[in-house]
Amino acid sequence: MKNVCFFSGDITRSGGTERVSTMIANGLAACGKYHILFLSLTEQGERPFFPLAEGIEHFALGERWINPGPGYLKVIPKLRRFLREKGIDIVIDIDIVLDVLSIPASRGLKVRIISWEHFDFAYEMGSLYRRLILKYSVKRTDYVVTLTKENQKRYGEEAGRKRNIATIYNPIQELPPDRPVEKEKWLITVGHLTRVKGTDYLGQVASIVLKRNPDWKWMVLGDGEEMGYLRAVTEKESLEGRLILTGRQKEVNSYLEKSQIYVMTSRSEGLPMCLLEAKAFRLPSVSFDIPGANEIIRDGINGYLVRAFDCQAMAHKLEWLMKEETQRQQLAQNAWSDLARFRLENILEQWIQVLDSQN
């Protein structure tokens, strides 16, 4: 039985990366072929935010967060010792930044390194240190897993990685129960409130849409450094009680099933879990037309893609859809039309092929 280690920044965080990682790990553990464990650089929470299956242990290399840079040097010997003591056969780096630790730490050991890309290729190339890491890791890891076909293509054309690379989508774990639920006039957004998630765009669009449609509310589930900005928008635009900032929520599903439109205003994504969750709940989704979103949303079929970062166009599309109940229902009916490619069992089969492949 192979020992497979998922290597994370911090598995106790509540983001989409942590959620999909635990889904894949739990699924692989259930198949009985692998012994699964998690290792984090640090664990700032008491336990993983998303539950791990029984038998999956989790460990941390340190007590404090370490930013990429010279501070990483002292981590490499700790990681190497961990790999040897636990008899790790395969390390799955949940973010290419961790490749700069696992590659040197595994040198001389019989450990395969799988680099699991969680961001858009353009995002990686837009940051100097991430671009340097990608150029270092792309030639040294045993396998690369991307989240979109577009990213795999760019890895080949711009980074020269054409062998031992595959696209594996994030999965939808489960579908909600088929029961009648009374819908509210809610727009909804779920995720970290950060610049890369376009929280400033969300504030601009919400200011336009909610002021002109006083019978609708916008539910925002999540927290982050941009929470203060949204609070300021709420106060400035007198949107108290309609731009609802719930903070971090574990019971996201109860909000999704009552909502009518999912909205994503991100600047960049890998393959957004939030859109897959919206898809599971048959929610029409409206997003800026960015890589990742356009592999889930089929424009005019199950949602709409709006010219990237055009807040006026986003507001116009939302207001039109808010008034068109028949169109919302049609988009909702189409949400499951291509569900098979995102089902967990199909995604796990692809991961098993990667884990069992021989370089």
Side-chain angles (χ1 to χ4, degrees):
M1 184 178 288
K2 294 179 181 178
N3 292 320
V4 179
C5 176
F6 285 78
F7 187 23
S8 166
D10 181 355
I11 195 56
T12 68
R13 293 183 298 193
S14 63
T17 297
E18 289 72 37
R19 179 169 185 176
V20 72
S21 301
T22 57
M23 289 169 63
I24 298 300
N26 290 344
L28 291 173
C31 79
K33 295 185 62 175
Y34 314 102
H35 175 241
I36 305 294
L37 61 159
F38 265 92
L39 176 66
S40 300
L41 275 178
T42 183
E43 292 189 353
Q44 296 178 321
E46 294 183 2
R47 62 184 62 86
F49 186 84
F50 302 103
L52 295 175
E54 184 177 356
I56 298 182
E57 297 178 282
H58 60 99
F59 307 86
L61 286 176
E63 297 180 357
R64 296 183 179 181
W65 181 255
I66 304 171
N67 290 320
Y72 267 13
L73 293 175
K74 64 181 180 181
V75 178
I76 294 173
K78 292 182 180 180
L79 176 57
R80 183 176 180 83
R81 185 162 54 249
F82 178 88
L83 298 176
R84 296 181 70 172
E85 290 177 353
K86 299 298 181 181
I88 301 301
D89 298 297
I90 300 173
V91 173
I92 301 174
D93 289 336
I94 310 172
D95 189 347
I96 67 166
V97 169
L98 300 176
D99 293 344
V100 299
L101 297 175
S102 59
I103 292 170
S106 63
R107 187 165 294 137
L109 304 178
K110 293 182 179 180
V111 178
R112 292 178 62 214
I113 306 298
I114 297 174
S115 182
W116 189 6
E117 175 64 87
H118 279 272
F119 295 95
D120 179 52
F121 189 85
Y123 174 83
E124 303 290 15
M125 299 303 284
S127 163
L128 177 59
Y129 86 89
R130 295 189 73 92
R131 183 166 67 248
L132 292 174
I133 290 171
L134 188 149
K135 290 182 177 181
Y136 166 77
S137 69
V138 75
K139 298 178 181 179
R140 295 170 174 84
T141 50
D142 296 285
Y143 216 102
V144 174
V145 173
T146 67
L147 291 178
T148 67
K149 298 293 186 183
E150 175 64 23
N151 277 356
Q152 181 176 347
K153 179 182 177 183
R154 294 192 66 177
Y155 260 87
E157 293 176 349
E158 301 177 42
R161 183 67 182 244
K162 297 183 179 180
R163 293 184 65 255
N164 297 324
I165 182 170
T167 296
I168 304 180
Y169 289 139
N170 285 336
I172 294 174
Q173 183 176 23
E174 58 184 354
L175 301 178
D178 186 13
R179 63 186 181 190
V181 177
E182 185 176 350
K183 294 283 189 177
E184 305 285 349
K185 287 189 173 181
W186 288 357
L187 307 168
I188 186 169
T189 299
V190 182
H192 288 315
L193 304 181
T194 62
R195 185 179 185 279
V196 73
K197 296 297 184 180
T199 305
D200 52 337
Y201 295 142
L202 189 158
Q204 294 175 50
V205 176
S207 297
I208 298 170
V209 168
L210 295 179
K211 288 169 70 174
R212 296 201 294 231
N213 298 271
D215 55 335
W216 282 75
K217 295 180 180 180
W218 195 323
M219 315 301 291
V220 180
L221 281 61
D223 58 15
E225 61 262 29
E226 297 284 312
M227 175 70 89
Y229 164 77
L230 285 185
R231 287 182 178 141
V233 169
T234 302
E235 182 178 354
K236 179 182 177 181
E237 303 296 340
S238 300
L239 297 176
E240 293 87 351
R242 295 199 299 118
L243 181 57
I244 312 294
L245 310 178
T246 72
R248 192 168 68 167
Q249 294 287 325
K250 278 203 170 184
E251 297 302 322
V252 174
N253 291 358
S254 62
Y255 288 89
L256 288 170
E257 67 179 356
K258 293 180 181 178
S259 300
Q260 301 215 34
I261 303 171
Y262 191 91
V263 189
M264 193 177 81
T265 58
S266 296
R267 285 179 165 83
S268 177
E269 289 282 349
L271 190 78
M273 286 295 295
C274 60
L275 292 184
L276 291 176
E277 292 168 351
K279 185 181 185 67
F281 279 85
R282 292 187 180 271
L283 277 180
S285 295
V286 181
S287 168
F288 289 134
D289 189 0
I290 60 172
N294 58 21
E295 296 207 23
I296 299 175
I297 296 175
R298 294 183 297 158
D299 191 45
I301 305 298
N302 61 1
Y304 291 102
L305 297 167
V306 177
R307 184 168 59 252
F309 320 131
D310 186 334
C311 292
Q312 289 290 339
M314 172 73 82
H316 177 76
K317 181 60 73 175
L318 287 174
E319 287 189 279
W320 175 81
L321 190 55
M322 289 156 68
K323 293 177 172 63
E324 295 290 335
E325 183 176 357
T326 300
Q327 183 63 12
R328 293 200 305 272
Q329 292 175 351
Q330 183 60 55
L331 296 175
Q333 288 298 314
N334 294 337
W336 289 2
S337 62
D338 60 344
L339 206 58
R341 62 195 178 119
F342 301 111
R343 284 191 178 275
L344 179 58
E345 56 266 31
N346 295 335
I347 301 303
L348 289 175
E349 287 180 6
Q350 295 172 58
W351 270 105
I352 289 170
Q353 290 176 11
V354 170
L355 293 177
D356 291 351
S357 64
Q358 299 296 322
N359 294 333

